[in-house]
Amino acid sequence: MGRGRQRGRSQRKHFKESRENVWKRPKSDAPDNNAVADDKPTWEPFLTDNPNFEEYYKEQGIVKAEEWDLFMEILRKPLPAAFRVNSNSQFCDEIISILENDFVKSLQAEAIEGGELEAIKPLPWYPKNLAWHSNFSRKEIRKNKILERFHEFLKLENEVGNMTRQEAVSMVPPLFLDVHPDHFVLDMCAAPGSKTFQLLEIIHGASEPGTLPNGMVVANDVDFQRSNLLIHQTKRMCTANLIVTNHEGQQFPGCRLKGPSDDIPINQLSFDRVLCDVPCSGDGTLRKAPDIWRKWNSGMGNGLHSLQVILAMRGLSLLKVGGKMIYSTCSMNPVEDEAVVAEILRRCGDSVELVDVSDKLPELIRRPGLKTWKVRDKGGWFTSYKDVPQNRRGGVVVSMFPSGENLKDSTETTQENENGGVNGSDDGCKETDNSVVDAIPDEPVVEVSDLPLERCMRIVPHDQNTGAFFIAVLHKVSPLPDFQEKPNPRKHSSKKNADSTEKSPAEEAVVIADAEPVESPVEKVTEADANDEKDDSLEPEKQNTEGETITEEKKGGNTNQAAGKRKVPMQGKWKGFDPVVFLKDETLIDSIKEFYGIKDESFPLYGRLVTRNTDTSSVKRIYYVSKSVKEVLQLNFAVGQQLKIASVGLKMFERQSAKEGSSKPCSFRISSEGLPVILPYITKQVLYTPMADFKHLLEHKSIRFPDFVNPQLSQKATDLVLGCCVVILSDGEEAVKVDAKTIAISCWRGNNSLAVMITPADCQELLERLAEKTPKTEDGSVNGSNGDSGAMETA
Ligand SMILES: C[S@@+](CC[C@H](N)C(=O)[O-])C[C@H]1O[C@@H](n2cnc3c(N)ncnc32)[C@H](O)[C@@H]1O
């Protein structure tokens, strides 16, 4: 059975930031206030004008003068929807085939009606026809009756993890990162997680069923609520190779052990690949988030520049020598793009190169990075830092300019200004030979960078009917200058309080712009939801003699709980975060192994199971972690829990609820999320079921033992021990070898019946896939289901 699907998510909640009416706004927002006040909110299209925006980008020469009108025309049009098929899904080929053979044709008439030649088509630059562009906006797909079947298809496949709706240009950065399955990858600003999902797909790309890659992804985001979107997003992918953390990227801990340790294979946290997809003004997403038209001003980009520089610098310092990092934004603004890349190249000297990737993905139309640009603030335009009056130097910093130098006073010793930008070139950085055209004293100068910034890429909307994006590929060729390796001091914090949810206007715009899930039922997230082992009181952790923070597991009752008080969860020094605890309770682990017939040599459980509760007796969920994640967790314990972990591993076992009943030998059932990974190793509690009974089970959610179509199955089902079992679709009732195409579901063997333990969406999706596999009879009906529900008993 393949990965990339999750059957049985519980507690689905709806994402409150619904983006319905994205192209409408309340009339009260309109500058024309002549509208009569009315209790009823009235809606009108968003304004798609902003003179400041136009003036800014004309002046920057972002596109040639003759292209300007087309650039603006396309920017004002709603963004066509794009989506990706999950390459790890066991139904990947089937989904692509449905797109190619069904929807390409069936939607064409509607596309022609709208003046387009094609309704949907694969993005030519994305490998293996996995990514698709549609000529309909998201709103059209939602509202147009003729597109209803397509809409339902997208919704369902997105929900079960077979597809992801993602803006086309946002799919680009992971493709340039050159990730391999054994890489340790850091996604520094990861929420809501569409690129993390892509990175995980690549990491898992070559794995056989039941095997895990050697690599892993650490997905980090400072914003707790957005991290929960990310957790939800990546749950749709069956992965034990992910840690989600919640740090300011510029402070991301290096977890460096002071001395070598025989027990811990790695002695610091460093990465082969880093994705630094920074917070930005987001004007590349104007077509998707037209409210940015109203909010946009040049201060948004200026205000983020210094944070972007220090995020990128921290990314590079966490990168291994020989590793690669992508710096990307969904902004067109050179102050957030080329100026940041230029500054990090200056700071890193010869240790980092900007990679020329012009020969990669030739079908992707992009433009070279700019070599010259200007800086604007309320005071006007500046072509050089020397022209910036003293009273504007708080907001405009020298690193925003192409030379990165205060040309007039370049010999002066200058200091970091309050925004964290660096004045002058005496910050220990290599001097660059940026040229200055027309550098006559007191005359306006045009600075042109001599750094190879043309190697950066800018994707503009009118080249291929997309949003805009900026991407730079960096290669660390040697250690950074010493002083650049350390995390940035707190004064560079992006927020006063790292855990605060307060946002600058620009960050707010980002949140709106890239909160990808629109109508998908993404969980509404709260801190309590994320730490949803609410009943679990937690033991304070103890320090062992080597300074290791340890959490003790107790076999007895929970004394804190007895006291009737819920303590604030505590993960080492991190308040509000449940602890991460390696499960060491041998009795419990042995009972699981015995019940499902798992041999530890083939599928190690010891050392690979973690919980979020110090008290084993009240653990509700047990997570499985890959060897790579285990090693990072060990290192993290050894360095005093520097990582603030929001989520880790793959939910593998869940305590049976009272509703399900109890199974004496083992009180943990296999979670649908974890099933694909453990399936090849389960030798007990398995029922091999031919198509007719398998479909019957999915259709009716439960079968009473006498009602199996195949009478031998009645006996085999009765022979299972009361409790969780796994039903595998097979040709007969005999065991089959599990492979990537094996279809299996978690079930519950009750007193008199067998019941599925997967969500209705998962049931529906499986039934649709199976209908495609089932030969049709002459009258066109589908074979393999007896259509007779019989009397059912729920678990
Ligand atoms: C452009 S979005 C990232 C989009 C994401 N890479 C994706 O593809 O889904 C930028 C993210 O940076 C986060 N962020 C803002 N400041 C940050 C900081 N100092 N450290 C880490 N993340 C930060 C925001 O919460 C936001 O989720």
Side-chain angles (χ1 to χ4, degrees):
M1 178 164 175
R3 293 161 303 279
R5 35 177 308 102
Q6 173 223 343
R7 301 200 175 107
R9 280 176 305 282
S10 56
Q11 299 173 320
R12 185 180 296 288
K13 291 180 185 160
H14 288 263
F15 177 37
K16 68 174 172 205
E17 286 179 71
S18 163
R19 293 176 45 81
E20 286 287 338
N21 284 317
V22 78
W23 277 87
K24 298 264 182 92
R25 65 188 172 126
K27 268 214 168 124
S28 54
D29 271 359
D32 171 13
N33 288 331
N34 295 336
V36 182
D38 184 338
D39 279 352
K40 266 199 215 151
T42 48
W43 298 88
E44 63 174 33
F46 270 102
L47 288 180
T48 51
D49 269 323
N50 184 320
N52 295 332
F53 174 90
E54 290 206 41
E55 188 231 17
Y56 187 82
Y57 281 115
K58 262 190 188 158
E59 190 71 27
Q60 297 290 17
I62 201 86
V63 295
K64 291 190 196 117
E66 58 269 27
E67 290 177 274
W68 183 259
D69 290 345
L70 180 62
F71 170 67
M72 289 302 292
E73 182 191 326
I74 298 291
L75 262 186
R76 291 183 170 119
K77 289 192 173 159
L79 185 71
F83 44 88
R84 246 171 1 86
V85 182
N86 175 0
S87 56
N88 295 146
S89 156
Q90 71 176 145
F91 297 122
C92 176
D93 297 342
E94 284 89 336
I95 302 285
I96 293 179
S97 162
I98 293 172
L99 292 168
E100 288 173 342
N101 300 316
D102 176 350
F103 289 116
V104 164
K105 293 168 197 150
S106 62
L107 302 178
Q108 180 152 21
E110 195 54 22
I112 290 170
E113 176 100 335
E116 300 285 350
L117 287 178
E118 295 147 312
I120 56 169
K121 60 177 180 195
L123 287 165
W125 42 267
Y126 205 98
K128 300 179 183 166
N129 280 5
L130 284 165
W132 288 68
H133 164 100
S134 86
N135 273 319
F136 308 108
S137 70
R138 299 173 77 129
K139 187 176 167 201
E140 279 173 292
I141 293 176
R142 276 201 308 275
K143 304 278 171 191
N144 183 333
K145 272 273 156 214
I146 296 165
L147 302 180
E148 196 171 327
R149 189 171 66 91
F150 182 52
H151 182 213
E152 289 305 317
F153 168 80
L154 287 182
K155 265 198 327 195
L156 181 63
E157 300 307 332
N158 185 69
E159 182 173 349
V160 299
N162 289 338
M163 290 174 92
T164 300
R165 283 173 293 172
Q166 184 179 4
E167 193 174 339
V169 285
S170 148
M171 302 174 192
V172 175
L175 297 184
F176 281 103
L177 196 51
D178 186 25
V179 175
H180 298 192
D182 58 349
H183 280 164
F184 277 40
V185 184
L186 172 64
D187 191 351
M188 283 187 92
C189 307
S194 32
K195 296 183 195 74
T196 312
F197 199 94
Q198 276 179 284
L199 297 171
L200 286 166
E201 277 180 59
I202 302 171
I203 291 273
H204 282 282
S207 318
E208 291 298 314
T211 64
L212 299 175
N214 292 332
M216 63 162 306
V217 176
V218 176
N220 175 71
D221 201 279
V222 72
D223 186 311
F224 187 87
Q225 296 222 351
R226 286 172 64 86
S227 301
N228 280 298
L229 286 176
L230 164 81
I231 292 167
H232 175 84
Q233 170 93 279
T234 50
K235 258 186 177 180
R236 302 177 310 135
M237 173 98 178
C238 171
T239 180
N241 298 51
L242 173 69
I243 301 180
V244 179
T245 59
N246 199 203
H247 292 273
E248 286 191 314
Q250 66 273 34
Q251 305 284 348
F252 192 89
C255 298
R256 197 189 291 253
L257 266 184
K258 291 221 171 72
S261 159
D262 290 343
D263 306 335
I264 303 164
I266 43 176
N267 62 1
Q268 78 176 85
L269 193 51
S270 56
F271 297 90
D272 303 281
R273 297 289 183 263
V274 174
L275 176 59
C276 189
D277 188 38
V278 294
C280 65
S281 59
D283 57 25
T285 67
L286 269 171
R287 301 181 68 186
K288 189 172 78 175
D291 43 344
I292 296 177
W293 281 109
R294 186 172 50 85
K295 294 177 185 167
W296 192 94
N297 63 67
S298 57
M300 290 162 78
N302 294 351
L304 286 161
H305 167 89
S306 296
L307 172 64
Q308 292 161 338
V309 170
I310 57 173
L311 279 166
M313 286 308 301
R314 185 65 191 141
L316 286 169
S317 68
L318 291 161
L319 192 63
K320 292 178 190 169
V321 169
K324 286 188 187 147
M325 180 174 105
I326 296 275
Y327 173 81
S328 59
T329 75
C330 55
S331 162
M332 295 180 276
N333 190 342
V335 170
E336 300 176 74
D337 297 341
E338 285 89 345
V340 174
V341 174
E343 176 63 9
I344 56 184
L345 290 176
R346 285 189 291 266
R347 289 190 184 196
C348 295
D350 293 334
S351 58
V352 171
E353 302 174 336
L354 184 55
V355 185
D356 177 1
V357 284
S358 51
D359 58 338
K360 302 262 177 334
L361 304 186
E363 278 163 307
L364 176 73
I365 307 172
R366 69 270 198 165
R367 299 174 178 222
L370 304 175
K371 305 272 279 188
T372 182
W373 61 90
K374 300 172 187 171
V375 180
R376 199 198 193 302
D377 86 341
K378 280 187 204 145
W381 283 100
F382 304 109
T383 53
S384 181
Y385 188 68
K386 76 177 175 53
D387 304 328
V388 181
Q390 209 59 43
N391 67 350
R392 310 296 323 156
R393 290 190 175 196
V396 175
V397 297
V398 69
S399 54
M400 292 177 183
F401 291 87
S403 75
E405 291 179 43
N406 187 355
L407 293 165
K408 200 174 180 182
D409 314 319
S410 58
T411 51
E412 275 176 23
T413 301
T414 47
Q415 289 167 350
E416 257 182 54
N417 67 30
E418 63 193 37
N419 263 22
V422 182
N423 294 336
S425 58
D426 59 342
D427 56 349
C429 306
K430 190 179 93 136
E431 288 284 336
T432 58
D433 33 356
N434 293 296
S435 60
V436 175
V437 180
D438 212 12
I440 303 160
D442 300 327
E443 286 291 311
V445 294
V446 177
E447 293 188 5
V448 181
S449 174
D450 270 0
L451 293 163
L453 297 177
E454 69 281 1
R455 295 182 186 169
C456 303
M457 292 168 265
R458 180 174 279 99
I459 300 172
V460 291
H462 59 294
D463 277 346
Q464 53 219 319
N465 197 9
T466 58
F469 227 81
F470 174 88
I471 300 139
V473 185
L474 298 147
H475 179 206
K476 183 166 172 178
V477 289
S478 58
L480 302 190
D482 258 0
F483 58 91
Q484 301 289 8
E485 290 281 3
K486 305 207 171 60
N488 284 275
R490 285 233 56 96
K491 68 176 171 176
H492 286 304
S493 282
S494 53
K495 291 171 185 167
K496 283 185 196 113
N497 169 359
D499 295 332
S500 133
T501 49
E502 266 175 48
K503 290 179 186 63
S504 69
E507 284 173 306
E508 204 64 68
V510 174
V511 171
I512 293 161
D514 63 16
E516 182 66 27
V518 174
E519 66 260 310
S520 71
V522 178
E523 276 166 322
K524 177 179 158 195
V525 284
T526 62
E527 188 152 342
D529 286 336
N531 299 319
D532 56 2
E533 300 228 1
K534 278 203 206 68
D535 311 334
D536 305 331
S537 299
L538 304 171
E539 280 270 305
E541 290 158 343
K542 297 182 179 172
Q543 293 280 115
N544 72 8
T545 44
E546 287 130 55
E548 179 184 354
T549 310
I550 49 167
T551 36
E552 252 190 0
E553 293 161 34
K554 292 198 314 162
K555 299 213 170 132
N558 185 336
T559 46
N560 294 326
Q561 221 164 17
K565 279 189 188 156
R566 159 85 173 151
K567 280 196 175 176
V568 176
M570 191 70 122
Q571 185 186 113
K573 58 188 174 181
W574 308 114
K575 257 196 205 158
F577 281 73
D578 283 322
V580 175
V581 184
F582 278 111
L583 182 71
K584 291 177 186 150
D585 183 333
E586 291 184 17
T587 316
L588 172 55
I589 298 176
D590 286 346
S591 75
I592 292 175
K593 280 171 55 184
E594 172 55 28
F595 189 71
Y596 297 106
I598 302 163
K599 293 193 180 58
D600 204 58
E601 345 36 286
S602 57
F603 189 73
L605 290 181
Y606 282 102
R608 298 291 198 88
L609 298 177
V610 297
T611 73
R612 306 305 300 263
N613 187 347
T614 49
D615 179 6
T616 317
S617 64
S618 57
V619 159
K620 289 181 188 157
R621 299 174 196 97
I622 301 174
Y623 300 85
Y624 193 75
V625 296
S626 65
K627 182 166 167 282
S628 45
V629 168
K630 171 191 165 175
E631 289 173 3
V632 171
L633 291 179
Q634 285 176 317
L635 173 67
N636 187 41
F637 279 121
V639 296
Q641 304 207 53
Q642 293 179 8
L643 290 176
K644 200 197 291 186
I645 297 176
S647 165
V648 61
L650 176 66
K651 187 165 70 176
M652 186 64 83
F653 303 108
E654 284 181 276
R655 191 181 287 278
Q656 284 147 203
S657 68
K659 191 173 140 238
E660 291 153 2
S662 63
S663 169
K664 285 250 163 61
C666 177
S667 49
F668 280 84
R669 62 181 161 84
I670 295 174
S671 140
S672 299
E673 286 162 45
L675 181 60
V677 169
I678 203 171
L679 186 64
Y681 308 100
I682 301 172
T683 60
K684 293 183 185 170
Q685 291 293 96
V686 182
L687 192 67
Y688 295 91
T689 314
M691 183 67 91
D693 278 313
F694 197 85
K695 288 178 92 175
H696 190 181
L697 190 56
L698 290 173
E699 277 160 2
H700 303 292
K701 313 291 183 285
S702 162
I703 303 184
R704 274 163 42 98
F705 295 145
D707 295 334
F708 276 99
V709 176
N710 184 329
Q712 282 164 320
L713 277 180
S714 304
Q715 189 52 51
K716 291 196 171 176
T718 317
D719 291 344
L720 295 170
V721 178
L722 190 79
C724 176
C725 63
V726 176
V727 174
I728 298 182
L729 175 64
S730 65
D731 291 337
E733 306 89 55
E734 297 312 316
V736 289
K737 190 171 173 331
V738 170
D739 64 22
K741 294 285 171 194
T742 304
I743 295 177
I745 52 173
S746 295
C747 286
W748 184 261
R749 190 272 197 216
N751 287 328
N752 305 305
S753 67
L754 195 69
V756 299
M757 300 185 86
I758 60 175
T759 62
D762 286 320
C763 268
Q764 184 193 342
E765 193 262 342
L766 263 184
L767 279 167
E768 285 182 19
R769 296 290 78 79
L770 295 182
E772 285 149 24
K773 287 183 193 289
T774 315
K776 300 234 171 35
T777 57
E778 273 174 18
D779 65 358
S781 62
V782 173
N783 262 335
S785 164
N786 68 2
D788 170 16
S789 68
M792 297 301 156
E793 178 200 75
T794 50

